[in-house]
Amino acid sequence: MNIVTIVGARPQFIKSLPVSNELRKSNREILVHTGQHYDRNMSDIFFEEMGIPKPDYNLGVGSGGQGEQTARMLSKIEAVLLDEKPDAVLIYGDTNSTLAGALAAAKLHIPVAHVEAGLRSFDKKMPEEINRIVADHVSDLLFCPTKTAVDNLKNEGITKGVELVGDVMYDAALHFGKLAEEKSRVLEELDLAPKGYLLATIHRSANTDNIDNLKALLEAFAESDRVIVFPVHPRTRKVLANTGLDSIIKGSKVRLVDPVGYIDFLKLENNAVKILTDSGGVQKEAFFAAVPCITLRDTTEWVETVESGWNILVHVDKDLLLKQIAEFNPVGEPAKLFGDGKASFYIAQRLTSA
Ligand code: UD1
Ligand code: UDP
């Protein structure tokens, strides 16, 4: 089979690798990078460190408004699909690259397979929620990471082509987690002791476009007496620079660093006391590593992590956040809720037998 895979944003590079490895055993995969993420440490570093195949196409769309960016991707992906005439198009997650890939393929009547189908936050103010809903409704194969995702699709009338396969991020974390422990020197480089710091990430529009929200989060970080390592997404870096909000953390134990590669990030996650994040993937990786996670949002699509007691939602309530930074302490071990580490294998099998 000839399969076009569409990626464009940091988490999609990570998700696509285990599936690419399986697919390439007996199929031709044409990898298309939309260029949504383009800084070295948001893109190339993942290809180099993880051994992700070099993209066959880089569409170089770059940044822009929601409509502008998606439109550029849509027309460029359409041109690739018309040239390549693949048997299927594979899309991941919920970014604008996912949406553009789904729309371009569906309108050319090319079967669409969606990895991480069925996720819902039920918050349509998130651009990702719109992307998920549209992608799922035009997909032919819907690879769900969790039973909740299967149920969400059923509630929207989608049952055909739905497969519960587990989570490809779990596959990736199992493989690269071992490598991270052996190879990463990030703790030494940042002069951190294992279990001597908290790890934070922030990039969602609800926390970066709303300055009051970002301010409240940073104030809580700064007022806590813990070392907080904060690899800053470029979107957030720009807001901090433009608003001067980075002055809030001056003199505190918050350490802003540039985004790091996946191997270093896994090491930082595995050795953190707690994780503070608004990321989807990071919530899951905290759960895989049995590190308590405080999710800096009102909603999550990874509800199992909350139900199991390993993740709590705290949005812009500074006092509550400070309290949870000090006190949140789940006990026991998180259950295995994201498959058996072979989601990528099941996806490749099902996709190529379709
Ligand atoms: C996107 C996804 C989000 C995902 C995240 C992963 C959408 C709508 N959002 O959010 O679901 O969680 O990726 O990280 O698709 N920028 C750079 N360099 C880069 C990339 C971005 O400077 O390499 C800056 C630009 O100013 C850009 C801003 O970050 O405008 C936002 O980038 P964009 O890709 O639009 O959205 P993300 O916030 O990264
Ligand atoms: N990640 C990384 N370096 C960083 C921050 C995150 O490699 O500095 C990885 C992280 O391990 C996870 C993924 O990026 O696999 C999450 O991506 P992000 O938070 O950007 O997007 P989301 O998952 O929210 O869509």
Side-chain angles (χ1 to χ4, degrees):
M1 268 179 97
N2 289 336
I3 296 150
V4 164
T5 294
I6 311 276
V7 293
R10 170 167 72 184
Q12 294 169 327
F13 310 137
I14 295 162
K15 291 169 197 178
S16 69
L17 176 66
V19 183
S20 290
N21 285 342
E22 292 295 337
L23 280 179
R24 286 175 186 238
K25 287 179 184 165
S26 50
N27 302 277
R28 175 166 175 256
E29 184 188 40
I30 301 129
L31 188 62
V32 177
H33 183 333
T34 62
Q36 176 168 354
H37 286 174
Y38 46 85
D39 288 352
R40 191 187 133 62
N41 55 7
M42 294 298 288
S43 177
D44 286 359
I45 193 169
F46 298 96
F47 287 82
E48 290 161 14
E49 269 190 5
M50 298 173 69
I52 301 171
K54 190 173 154 20
D56 298 278
Y57 295 84
N58 190 321
L59 307 180
V61 299
S63 305
Q66 294 289 319
E68 184 195 2
Q69 186 185 51
T70 310
R72 277 205 299 269
M73 291 176 187
L74 192 51
S75 75
K76 292 190 172 202
I77 294 171
E78 184 178 67
V80 173
L81 298 183
L82 285 169
D83 272 356
E84 294 286 350
K85 301 186 180 50
D87 301 300
V89 168
L90 187 57
I91 54 171
Y92 288 87
D94 54 18
T95 72
N96 288 347
S97 299
T98 317
L99 175 66
L103 287 178
K107 290 208 165 186
L108 292 172
H109 310 157
I110 301 168
V112 181
H114 185 198
V115 177
E116 272 194 6
L119 275 294
R120 296 291 182 269
S121 66
F122 302 100
D123 175 4
K124 285 194 183 156
K125 291 214 172 71
M126 289 178 77
E128 293 84 0
E129 185 75 352
I130 309 291
N131 295 346
R132 293 177 193 125
I133 293 171
V134 176
D136 284 340
H137 281 260
V138 299
S139 287
D140 301 278
L141 276 174
L142 300 101
F143 294 116
C144 295
T146 59
K147 170 81 169 54
T148 309
V150 174
D151 293 341
N152 288 339
L153 291 174
K154 196 169 173 195
N155 290 338
E156 292 175 24
I158 306 175
T159 50
K160 196 163 163 264
V162 176
E163 302 275 338
L164 178 58
V165 290
D167 194 317
V168 293
M169 285 193 110
Y170 183 48
D171 300 10
L174 283 178
H175 177 75
F176 286 98
K178 286 193 207 105
L179 209 67
E181 279 313 307
E182 291 161 14
K183 293 244 168 87
S184 170
R185 302 268 72 86
V186 71
L187 298 187
E188 293 83 343
E189 282 159 21
L190 296 177
D191 196 19
L192 296 167
K195 298 292 169 192
Y197 63 93
L198 278 69
L199 177 65
T201 75
I202 298 175
H203 74 275
R204 293 282 168 198
S205 54
N207 288 330
T208 55
D209 296 349
N210 183 322
I211 304 307
D212 291 337
N213 289 357
L214 187 58
K215 185 163 175 273
L217 295 176
L218 291 176
E219 283 173 352
F221 288 7
E223 281 177 38
S224 96
D225 58 354
R226 314 302 299 266
V227 174
I228 301 182
V229 180
F230 181 0
V232 189
H233 189 290
R235 173 187 195 129
T236 316
R237 179 70 82 179
K238 280 179 189 155
V239 177
L240 292 180
N242 292 341
T243 57
L245 278 186
D246 43 0
S247 64
I248 295 171
I249 53 123
K250 292 244 162 68
S252 76
K253 291 189 183 167
V254 181
R255 294 182 44 193
L256 304 187
V257 297
D258 284 336
V260 298
Y262 182 52
I263 312 256
D264 283 346
F265 197 75
L266 284 176
K267 178 94 176 194
L268 286 172
E269 287 177 318
N270 291 343
N271 290 283
V273 178
K274 280 173 201 163
I275 293 179
L276 312 165
T277 192
D278 59 8
S279 157
V282 176
Q283 288 175 62
K284 279 187 290 177
E285 288 166 353
F287 185 83
F288 304 154
V291 174
C293 182
I294 302 175
T295 293
L296 308 168
R297 289 172 45 186
D298 293 323
T299 59
T300 180
E301 38 307 326
W302 302 106
V303 287
E304 299 77 6
T305 61
V306 174
E307 286 159 7
S308 73
W310 281 82
N311 186 5
I312 44 167
L313 303 177
V314 182
H315 199 200
V316 282
D317 182 334
K318 188 177 103 180
D319 293 334
L320 182 59
L321 184 52
L322 273 166
K323 181 175 150 62
Q324 296 295 10
I325 287 174
E327 294 175 11
F328 181 50
N329 210 359
V331 285
E333 281 292 313
K336 297 262 175 284
L337 299 176
F338 291 91
D340 61 4
K342 288 174 20 186
S344 320
F345 171 78
Y346 302 131
I347 289 169
Q349 289 287 307
R350 180 68 184 86
L351 179 57
T352 55
S353 67

